[in-house]
Amino acid sequence: MPPSALTVPPAQIAKVMQGCPVIKLADLGSSSLLSNPGRALKLVNSRGEFLACGVVDPENEAFHVFSWDPDEAPDDRLLIQRARAAFRLRERLGLIPPDRRLEAAFRLLNGEGDGLPGFLVEVLGPYAVQYVLAKGLREWGRRLIAAVVESARELGLQTPGGEPWPRGVLQKLRGKDSARPGKPVQWVEHGEEPPEKLLVKEGDFSFEVHPLAGLNVGLFGDMREHRARIGRFARGVKVLNTFAYTGTLSVAAAAAGSLEVTSVDLSSGVLKWAEENFRLAGLDPDRHRFEASDVLRFLRQAAMEGRQYGLVILDPPTYSAARAASWSLKNHLGELIESSLALLPPGGILWLSVNSHQMGGPELEAQLRESAAASRRGLALLEEGGPAPDFPTAITFPEGRHLKLRILRVW
């Protein structure tokens, strides 16, 4: 069935035609067509001329634009085209090896950056995990999984054991209520269920991931290239990694020749996971430190004891309410930076990563200037960065580019 047509209010036509992949439903009027989750629509002007097409997402109060091409429609053919294009890009990036056997982790589809806002697909070695951003998009997610599987067959992709890839695809709901504790709502939509624990390759390392756990499986692929380069700053110095999570940055720093890496996280469980990642990398975790503590409390105590580090890594979450501690980027980032500067001698490196659509680059740099002034320290920017290239973002949707990295020398 062809998609229904929705006439866009004249005052909003320019906004639709600017190429933004996510349009607020309120900007499209009050038609009943906008109340049906997952409904395919084509947007037209008052003369019935095509403007764009996509699907309705009332849960997020959004219309997801799939195309501005009048020759394309929101259907299975378009999904296959998008899946093929996504595979071709990842192949150019070297994430698909010549032997076609997938054992690494990477992002195959990154929402609006791959022309499919509302959907994410992660490759985890022989398996894949799909995230859908609303309940009403689940059926589109199933159809997209079928397109991914078909495209993988065309490319001859295999698991490490030589079977057709993927061995299984898990679909997870990542809607507004998905931040609650415990496992997310999830279903096996193709093949078999992934195991609770799985090893995936990243360069010279193998990392443990937990596909069936929460929305975060233990490895953030958008940081891949920054992990690979952190050794330039870690070699020959003591390193402090705050909000260390499963310790992947700690592993990269230790493997590069850090004198000692201290990994701090509130959760003792993820620190045990981090220790296992050290062992998988051939590193002795007993030569390093793992501290289960509130990060701000640890930083204050370290300053009182006069500890110094050549590299301090800050990779905080946007917010956290774990156990008795509470954290929010908005309220605590300044204190975090100032407390970290107290532990860095002249020439030390502050490595700061912020993953939030609410804080843009200018706001981050303003906070750095403010914290440096309050600490009476100087900061020189060495490098700035964003997510790895398998996390493309639409130039007309800067909110989608969450990751902002700043590497600074302290004096």
Side-chain angles (χ1 to χ4, degrees):
M1 178 187 296
S4 301
L6 176 73
T7 301
V8 177
Q12 302 299 327
I13 288 178
K15 182 179 292 186
V16 172
M17 295 306 293
Q18 286 171 356
C20 182
V22 181
I23 301 171
K24 294 180 180 178
L25 290 185
D27 291 340
L28 298 178
S30 57
S31 169
S32 61
L33 294 175
L34 299 174
S35 63
N36 190 350
R39 182 163 193 164
L41 295 177
K42 65 176 180 178
L43 307 183
V44 300
N45 62 19
S46 60
R47 297 186 299 276
E49 296 168 332
F50 179 92
L51 301 175
C53 67
V55 298
V56 178
D57 178 7
E59 181 178 328
N60 292 300
E61 301 174 359
F63 181 79
H64 299 301
V65 179
F66 286 179
S67 181
W68 293 266
D69 185 341
D71 293 328
E72 290 185 327
D75 55 20
D76 291 342
R77 184 175 62 175
L78 183 142
L79 297 180
I80 291 173
Q81 290 172 350
R82 295 290 190 267
R84 287 171 178 164
F87 274 117
R88 285 196 297 269
L89 173 60
R90 278 64 183 182
E91 187 170 18
R92 289 187 67 183
L93 295 173
L95 297 169
I96 298 175
D99 66 5
R100 294 295 200 252
R101 298 195 176 197
L102 299 186
E103 54 182 342
F106 60 89
R107 180 155 289 184
L108 174 61
L109 281 161
N110 194 51
E112 65 281 346
D114 284 296
L116 290 172
F119 305 93
L120 309 170
V121 177
E122 300 275 3
V123 172
L124 298 176
Y127 295 91
V129 175
Q130 181 197 61
Y131 298 92
V132 292
L133 305 191
K135 295 177 183 177
L137 300 179
R138 279 199 61 207
E139 179 56 34
W140 281 100
R142 293 190 187 100
R143 294 165 67 177
L144 177 56
I145 288 171
V148 166
V149 171
E150 179 176 334
S151 299
R153 295 287 189 270
E154 292 173 357
L155 284 171
L157 299 185
Q158 299 178 7
T159 69
E163 306 160 313
W165 184 93
R167 187 176 296 165
V169 182
L170 188 69
Q171 185 187 77
K172 296 190 180 190
L173 178 62
R174 193 171 181 169
K176 284 187 173 181
D177 300 328
S178 300
R180 66 186 186 278
K183 289 185 178 182
V185 179
Q186 56 191 26
W187 308 261
V188 176
E189 292 292 352
H190 172 80
E192 66 184 53
E193 182 177 80
E196 288 192 11
K197 297 181 180 181
L198 180 68
L199 297 185
V200 294
K201 295 284 290 183
E202 182 175 290
D204 295 330
F205 304 124
S206 290
F207 290 122
E208 180 183 296
V209 296
H210 296 180
L212 300 180
L215 292 174
N216 298 322
V217 301
L219 181 66
F220 295 114
D222 55 355
M223 298 287 288
R224 181 191 315 105
E225 300 200 354
H226 302 306
R227 277 191 291 270
R229 297 198 299 267
I230 201 169
R232 298 169 295 164
F233 307 111
R235 193 172 299 112
V237 301
K238 289 188 175 182
V239 174
L240 173 63
N241 183 14
T242 65
F243 303 98
Y245 190 41
T246 60
T248 55
L249 284 166
S250 296
V251 167
S258 168
L259 298 179
E260 179 187 73
V261 179
T262 299
S263 303
V264 182
D265 198 282
L266 190 61
S267 168
S268 58
V270 296
L271 288 177
K272 292 186 186 311
W273 190 346
E275 290 186 51
E276 181 59 25
N277 278 332
F278 268 68
R279 295 186 188 96
L280 289 169
L283 300 166
D284 182 0
D286 292 336
R287 295 184 57 187
H288 302 273
R289 299 181 60 189
F290 300 85
E291 300 280 350
S293 171
D294 172 72
V295 167
L296 292 174
R297 186 181 303 120
F298 177 90
L299 293 174
R300 290 191 291 267
Q301 183 64 34
M304 290 176 57
E305 296 173 2
R307 299 185 200 173
Q308 296 269 276
Y309 300 91
L311 168 64
V312 174
I313 301 169
L314 307 179
D315 186 17
T318 303
Y319 65 90
S320 173
R323 295 192 303 200
S326 62
W327 159 271
S328 76
L329 198 65
K330 179 181 178 180
N331 296 329
H332 298 110
L333 181 59
E335 181 183 356
L336 177 67
I337 295 171
E338 291 167 35
S339 298
S340 300
L341 291 175
L343 307 182
L344 284 162
I349 302 296
L350 180 67
W351 194 101
L352 172 63
S353 169
V354 168
N355 200 322
S356 170
H357 68 272
Q358 299 168 342
M359 178 174 287
E363 292 84 1
L364 175 59
E365 284 142 19
Q367 181 62 74
L368 283 165
R369 290 192 296 270
E370 182 179 326
S371 296
S375 303
R376 297 182 178 273
R377 304 297 298 275
L379 292 176
L381 180 64
L382 301 182
E383 184 178 327
E384 56 184 296
D390 50 318
F391 288 72
T393 49
I395 199 69
T396 53
F397 191 63
E399 305 96 308
R401 199 165 184 81
H402 296 173
L403 181 66
K404 296 101 182 168
L405 176 73
R406 301 293 183 269
I407 303 175
L408 305 115
R409 182 175 180 267
V410 181
W411 49 275

